[in-house]
Amino acid sequence: MRFDVRRVAFGLGVVIVVCIALVALLAPWITPQDPFVQNLEARMIPPIWMDGGVAGHWLGSDQLGRDYLSRLIYGARISMLIGTLVVICSGAIGITLGVIGGFFGGRVDAVVMFIITCRLSIPLILVALTVVSFVGSSLAVVVFTLGLLLWERFAVVARTTTMQVRTLDYISAAWAAGCSLPHILVREVLPNIVHHLIVVATLEMALAILLEAALSFLGLGVPPPLPSWGLMIAEAKDYMYFSPWVILVPGVALFVLVLGINLLGDGLRDRLGAARDA
Amino acid sequence: MLKFLARRLLLAVLVLLTVLTISFALTRLSGDVAVSMAGAQATQEDVETIRKAYGLDRPLTIQFVSWVAGIASGDLGRSYLYHAPVSELIKGRLPVTLTLGATGLVIALCLALPLGIIAAMNEGRIWDRGIMMVAVVGQAMPGFWLGLVLVIWLGVKWQLLPISGVETWTGYVLPGFVLAFSAVPALMRLTRGGMVDALASDYVRTARAKGLTRMSVVMKHALRNAAMPVVAVAAVQLGFMLGGSIVIESVFALNGVGYLAWESIAKNDFPVVQAVVLFLATIYIALTLIADLFNAVLDPRLRIG
């Protein structure tokens, strides 16, 4: 069989995402230590393969003596949780708007397009920071803020693809069979555009995870002492010149997870035959 | 063309009005702005003084109308933290952010155009696959983290480039590169897609048949057609970059509009926050308007509808 880069990339994406999802689910059973327990006598221990590494702290410890590997594992929970919840929230908003705009066209569509244009004009990170700061930072606020902001790609793709299917024969057949409008939208239109939307979902999940990390890095995301990867990078920043691994470890974790999701999304796009620019 | 222009302008004005309302509403989310501005130690009297001084004791609609009226006459309000007009603050910080955005855009185009063209010319072959892989990897890189990593190695360990401040132009290289990084994958994919279509078209085949060199066909015929959507998206990306520079400015300690916004958000300086949100949104709206008009001038088909 011919060596195919795309197959390998897709496989790699699946492996990365499944592994990190498992780690996130099993976090309480596989962490070597409690990620919240501080030990001021064991601060800034380097990872095991560096000079001064200690068995038991495989990836070392942070500036408060908390086990870095345990925090990293619990951090996977936060990233996965935020990614999933944001996609559900933004998907619900975006798909509803997009399907309605694409199906009805005309004035309704013009309104939907207008809402999308307005959303695109708003500076994303700035508004997210403002909302989190003024409402108060918590995991739930971050999820809702990002969920309310990241729906526009869902809407754009749902709209275009709905336009393509709305004139097809099975829709006319459903009308003729006396199906109700909600039935047609949910049971006829949605299943025929869902493969495009799955690809968008992977892109948005990756984006949500990166944005959460950026917000937490700026101090207005997930509040401490929760072990968000972005927050770990922010907390470690003061020590990075002497011990670069403190920012390399959470950064690489973030990079690998997002890369895995993107590879998975690209592979799905090829497999499901979704639009290239979705 | 005139009709198209009028419609497009009307849309921009409507979007602007909506954004105006959103930026006002955003800063009222905390419920009582005066309480959060006064801080934890403030007495009831302090809160009342602030409320009076900033007109926060008036009904929301009146506050909104007076804010909009102020903007119409060029007054964006006064900063609570700096005791200075917001417009002066933004004007003072703007050169840094604009230079950063322009540097980012130039670097992004210098990377994305050649890579996209090379990928398209080798469509389906190993160079194409390799370049597209780089795009996927680049997309997964968190910008602020890349910034920190470059600061550690290029800035501190090897001392090649300054890590903060913009006393000389070299100060813009690292932050500009990091900012460009976020825009490269999208621009590159677009260049590649446009070039693949153009290279497969009839006019390119004609040009080849006339005996023109491969280089001249790619540069003069194909690129000119493929570049149009790239220009439009580059304008949009510049808007995103200016909005996203808040993260990069904080990594590289650059005193631009983004840093001003972050500082005001953290310290509840709401007049500055609502003005910066509005300001960045306005730049974005203007950029997309210019891109649309530019495309309409180049391609008459777009003027309908």
Side-chain angles (χ1 to χ4, degrees), chain A residues 40-191:
Chain A
L40 296 182
E41 279 164 21
R43 295 186 315 190
M44 300 302 290
I45 296 173
I48 192 85
W49 62 86
M50 290 173 68
D51 288 341
V54 175
H57 286 300
W58 303 107
L59 288 178
S61 65
D62 69 2
Q63 67 286 351
L64 296 173
R66 296 172 293 196
D67 184 48
Y68 227 43
L69 177 61
S70 306
R71 287 184 73 70
L72 199 70
I73 290 174
Y74 269 84
R77 284 197 140 181
I78 294 182
S79 284
M80 286 303 246
L81 191 70
I82 290 203
T84 317
L85 293 178
V86 167
V87 165
I88 293 174
C89 196
S90 58
I93 301 173
I95 295 169
T96 311
L97 277 175
V99 167
I100 290 176
F103 193 80
F104 294 105
R107 290 247 167 92
V108 180
D109 187 37
V111 172
V112 168
M113 278 309 286
F114 178 73
I115 300 175
I116 295 175
T117 315
C118 287
R119 157 55 203 92
L120 280 170
S121 310
I122 295 172
L124 186 62
I125 296 183
L126 192 53
V127 168
L129 283 172
T130 309
V131 175
V132 174
S133 164
F134 280 74
V135 179
S137 70
S138 74
L139 200 71
V141 172
V142 173
V143 167
F144 277 108
T145 310
L146 293 182
L148 286 173
L149 286 169
L150 292 181
W151 49 264
E152 89 280 348
R153 201 155 19 181
F154 275 113
V156 170
V157 173
R159 177 178 167 272
T160 338
T161 49
T162 303
M163 279 178 169
Q164 285 160 8
V165 301
R166 73 169 171 198
T167 48
L168 296 183
D169 285 345
Y170 57 81
I171 304 286
S172 319
W175 280 122
C179 295
S180 66
L181 180 65
H183 178 101
I184 290 178
L185 290 183
V186 177
R187 303 291 295 274
E188 307 290 340
V189 174
L190 205 51

Side-chain angles (χ1 to χ4, degrees), chain A residues 6 9 114 120-122 125-126 129-131 133-134 214 217-218 233 241 244 247 251 254-255 258-259 266 276, chain B residues 14-15 18 22 26 30 129 133 136-137 140 142 144-145 148 151 156-157 189 246 250 261-262 265 273 280-281 284:
Chain A
R6 277 190 286 189
F114 178 73
L120 280 170
S121 310
I122 295 172
I125 296 183
L126 192 53
L129 283 172
T130 309
V131 175
S133 164
F134 280 74
F217 173 75
L218 289 174
I233 297 175
Y241 296 118
I247 68 154
L254 196 56
F255 168 68
V258 174
L259 180 67
D266 276 2
R276 187 66 226 173
Chain B
L14 283 177
V15 172
T18 315
I22 293 173
L26 265 182
S30 64
R129 292 261 193 278
M133 262 305 141
V136 175
V137 170
F144 65 94
W145 181 68
L148 292 176
V151 162
V156 176
K157 295 235 154 121
R189 278 173 205 265
I246 187 167
S250 103
W262 181 75
I265 291 170
V273 177
L280 288 175
Y284 178 88

